[in-house]
Amino acid sequence: MNIKHSLSIALLCQTSYVFAAASETNTVDNQDGTFTYTQKINKDSTSPHYVAPSGYGFNFYSHSGQDYGWQHNFDEASNPLVKIQSATLMIRGYDIDSEAFHGTSGEYDGISVDGIDLNPGLLQGTNGTWSETTFDMPTSYILDDGLMNVFLDIDMNHDYVWWKTTLDYSLLTITYAITQNDAPYTPTLSGSPQGCANSTDDFTVNISNSSDADPDGDPVTYEYRWFVDIGQGEVVDDEVAGKTDHTGNTVLSSQVNAGETWRVQVIATDSNNLVSDPAFFTWELGENDSDCDGITDTNDDYPNDDKRASNNYSVQSTLAFEDLWPEKGDYDLNDLVISNQFNLVKDANGLVKQIDLTGSIQARGATLASGFAIAFPGTTSANVESINVNVNGQSESVSAEAGHSSELVVAVLKNIHSATDNSQTYSFFNTQDGDDRAVIPVTMNLIFIDPVDPLQIGNAPFNPFIYRVSDRGREVHLPNYAPTALANTGLFKTGADNTEVGGETYMTPAGHPWALEISTSWLHPMESVDIIQAYPAIQDWAESRKARGTTWYSTPVAGKCWKCN
């Protein structure tokens, strides 16, 4: 009963109920080779069974912070011929407000034995009434030393005075036989569905060791007891939660709702009525979370995929390369112009499971054949589940490039020449007057075996570069990006290059780059037009090491760049 409207102890004692007498321990010979042992603990029990706390305990309204315990014993546990047929712990309590409609704010009084929570997990009852909760007592708890230390955790969900309850008694009942026959093995359970479950599933439990269920070869039957947590934070018997009282190995989906936890207890009983310890299998259903990844369906971009939860798109940008490094060449930076946008597909923990590239080849102003690749730090080819590249509608499964032990390198375009639409009229692609062909779509799908920390792989576009098809070591990277393990570092500081390993890379002494990332769509220079002529503001931007002229790409010179008329 909620403290706001709790009865006083005086009112409770005026009811017609008479509390049980002192502790009772009895053994009854059932005249069939079995015995039934009962032991009742109440307010009148004495040490070692029960030491009454001051002002709370049995026969007192007690609340959070007034938890207490007691001890049952079974002296016959020391007899190796004692085999248990059934064992229950029944606790009678008053005003236990465990009704499910309270949600997690209800009165939930947990019962544990020898420090281990029992099932159904808590006392069950309704406001202002006496109720009896029966727990199946595992035989191992009894036979290990014959002592069972029971503990009551009152109002587990509050750490202040809110709900109160009182107990009448705790009754241990053990039926046992004196026999050399052994009890059946604890069942080995397999459940369907395995792992994630949702409210459209039927729940079925199967016995994996049914063909070898008893050490004596005795026939075995199985008893099923089902529990469910419909929002109170602990499982209770299914019928107490308003469900069907299931006694078989299946719960139909019509009984199941999102957000619930279902648990089945299975006990094996052999032909001598000896019982095993209980075995359990549990299904947890997310709250409107079909894949049970902890992200609700409304917030999950992949509601039916527990390995993926969110799309994370980069800003669409343009990459441009000059292929004559370490010489400056014509310095038109249109030997490859490719748009790109990345999607980092993350799991529920924020780790990257998949990287998708969507882009298009805008221009190819190169005579030499080059490839286009991306290096991903923080992971390696050993962590790749699959890579798929699609160029202009032609899909291909590819492998990570070999020779890299500390990063993952993917060749997106193995030959830009063969990927572009060669024309009899134009020797290049979209870099000359009148050449206005459709861009060529490019996508890449990279899936990791184990999700990767996004801090390890960095930000899009990661480390993109081109390389000479006929000379793989001749890599061209964005300024201040690192070469890969296959780069020919002997070309550093030759020609116009001023790369310093560990310092500035892929720039001239003046700071002019061989590759650019422009954070927008971009009109590249015409063929053989120096980029400084097409975009004069780039010179100050480059030579100030990006400190000035940050919008250089927005001021083209008419007639100097493709479609800049």
Side-chain angles (χ1 to χ4, degrees):
M1 179 174 288
N2 188 293
I3 187 62
K4 292 181 178 179
H5 57 279
S6 62
L7 294 171
S8 68
I9 292 297
L11 289 175
L12 177 62
C13 292
Q14 292 173 11
T15 66
S16 59
Y17 181 79
V18 178
F19 282 99
S23 300
E24 302 172 6
T25 300
N26 295 299
T27 300
V28 175
D29 186 342
N30 298 319
Q31 303 300 314
D32 59 359
T34 67
F35 302 85
T36 298
Y37 172 88
T38 58
Q39 184 178 67
K40 181 183 289 185
I41 307 295
N42 65 10
K43 68 181 181 65
D44 295 318
S45 300
T46 57
S47 179
H49 297 300
Y50 176 61
V51 177
S54 177
Y56 63 97
F58 283 107
N59 202 31
F60 283 92
Y61 252 139
S62 306
H63 54 72
S64 175
Q66 295 182 328
D67 308 327
Y68 57 95
W70 58 94
Q71 185 184 85
H72 285 282
N73 73 291
F74 179 56
D75 290 339
E76 289 292 338
S78 61
N79 184 344
L81 297 181
V82 164
K83 305 297 166 57
I84 294 176
Q85 293 186 337
S86 66
T88 60
L89 182 69
M90 190 270 283
I91 299 176
R92 179 177 169 84
Y94 181 76
D95 195 25
I96 300 165
D97 296 74
S98 67
E99 299 98 333
F101 65 79
H102 292 296
T104 56
S105 295
E107 178 187 346
Y108 302 123
D109 308 316
I111 297 294
S112 62
V113 172
D114 294 341
I116 301 174
D117 292 340
L118 292 183
N119 285 280
L122 47 84
L123 297 178
Q124 299 172 163
T126 57
N127 178 47
T129 64
W130 287 97
S131 61
E132 297 174 348
T133 306
T134 299
F135 302 88
D136 291 310
M137 181 73 75
T139 60
S140 57
Y141 293 12
I142 302 169
L143 297 177
D144 57 353
D145 60 3
L147 300 177
M148 289 137 281
N149 294 293
V150 186
F151 188 77
L152 169 65
D153 185 355
I154 302 174
D155 196 10
M156 296 185 296
N157 290 353
H158 297 102
D159 57 4
Y160 50 87
V161 179
W162 188 247
W163 297 101
K164 288 189 173 184
T165 191
T166 185
L167 299 188
D168 181 2
Y169 61 82
S170 171
L171 178 65
L172 174 68
T173 302
I174 301 172
T175 299
Y176 63 96
I178 307 295
T179 177
Q180 294 188 2
N181 198 283
D182 290 319
Y185 299 121
T186 301
T188 300
L189 306 183
S190 62
S192 174
Q194 293 278 357
C196 177
N198 60 60
S199 56
T200 62
D201 292 322
D202 295 337
F203 296 161
T204 301
V205 65
N206 296 303
I207 315 298
S208 301
N209 63 334
S210 59
S211 61
D212 183 24
D214 188 270
D216 308 301
D218 297 325
V220 167
T221 58
Y222 298 96
E223 177 187 359
Y224 301 85
R225 185 177 178 185
W226 290 83
F227 309 96
V228 60
D229 172 5
I230 62 175
Q232 59 268 54
E234 293 286 342
V235 295
V236 298
D237 282 287
D238 49 2
E239 73 273 18
V240 172
K243 308 283 188 176
T244 299
D245 182 12
H246 297 90
T247 57
N249 72 331
T250 299
V251 168
L252 297 178
S253 61
S254 58
Q255 291 280 300
V256 175
N257 294 310
E260 296 178 343
T261 296
W262 281 82
R263 180 177 300 158
V264 62
Q265 169 188 285
V266 184
I267 295 177
T269 303
D270 69 12
S271 55
N272 298 294
N273 292 319
L274 303 182
V275 296
S276 70
D277 263 350
F280 299 95
F281 195 92
T282 301
W283 294 265
E284 294 186 3
L285 292 82
E287 182 65 46
N288 298 316
D289 181 11
S290 299
D291 57 13
C292 304
D293 63 356
I295 308 296
T296 61
D297 289 351
T298 54
N299 295 317
D300 196 334
D301 291 327
Y302 301 85
N304 296 304
D305 184 346
D306 63 352
K307 294 181 175 59
R308 296 165 176 81
S310 65
N311 293 315
N312 302 269
Y313 293 96
S314 68
V315 173
Q316 186 170 355
S317 67
T318 304
L319 295 167
F321 296 89
E322 175 62 47
D323 68 354
L324 287 178
W325 177 89
E327 306 297 338
K328 289 192 73 172
D330 58 9
Y331 207 60
D332 53 15
L333 273 92
N334 67 10
D335 294 332
L336 172 64
V337 181
I338 182 168
S339 69
N340 68 92
Q341 184 177 41
F342 290 85
N343 178 20
L344 275 65
V345 181
K346 297 181 180 180
D347 65 12
N349 297 313
L351 302 179
V352 179
K353 175 61 178 176
Q354 177 176 322
I355 297 177
D356 295 331
L357 162 66
T358 302
S360 59
I361 302 174
Q362 306 287 312
R364 188 263 303 161
T367 301
L368 297 169
S370 294
F372 169 68
I374 303 173
F376 299 92
T379 188
T380 66
S381 59
N383 192 33
V384 171
E385 180 179 311
S386 66
I387 306 171
N388 186 272
V389 173
N390 188 299
V391 180
N392 206 21
Q394 299 297 312
S395 183
E396 179 185 6
S397 178
V398 302
S399 299
E401 186 178 53
H404 304 276
S405 60
S406 60
E407 62 186 338
L408 169 66
V409 177
V410 179
V412 180
L413 300 169
K414 295 180 180 178
N415 190 318
I416 300 165
H417 267 60
S418 61
T420 50
D421 180 17
N422 294 305
S423 166
Q424 294 181 350
T425 304
Y426 301 100
S427 55
F428 303 107
F429 180 74
N430 287 349
T431 65
Q432 297 165 287
D433 271 334
D435 187 0
D436 185 9
R437 284 172 279 175
V439 299
I440 298 170
V442 177
T443 62
M444 180 201 67
N445 170 262
L446 166 62
I447 301 175
F448 297 111
I449 297 171
D450 296 318
V452 179
D453 186 337
L455 296 178
Q456 296 295 318
I457 59 175
N459 299 320
F462 308 102
N463 185 1
F465 64 97
I466 62 172
Y467 60 90
R468 193 78 57 81
V469 170
S470 60
D471 184 2
R472 171 61 186 82
R474 196 179 291 260
E475 297 180 354
V476 182
H477 290 256
L478 291 167
N480 291 328
Y481 278 69
T484 77
L486 298 186
N488 182 358
T489 57
L491 295 173
F492 291 165
K493 289 191 178 297
T494 65
D497 177 68
N498 192 45
T499 292
E500 187 75 46
V501 176
E504 290 187 341
T505 61
Y506 294 99
M507 289 188 288
T508 70
H512 296 186
W514 275 268
L516 295 169
E517 182 193 10
I518 303 101
S519 57
T520 183
S521 58
W522 182 58
L523 299 176
H524 49 274
M526 296 289 287
E527 187 60 36
S528 299
V529 174
D530 191 306
I531 193 171
I532 296 176
Q533 297 178 18
Y535 290 90
I538 193 175
Q539 183 168 359
D540 188 40
W541 173 78
E543 294 178 2
S544 69
R545 270 45 175 192
K546 303 181 182 181
R548 299 186 297 270
T550 55
T551 59
W552 64 265
Y553 50 82
S554 63
T555 55
V557 175
K560 297 295 185 179
C561 55
W562 191 63
K563 293 187 176 182
C564 291
N565 299 321

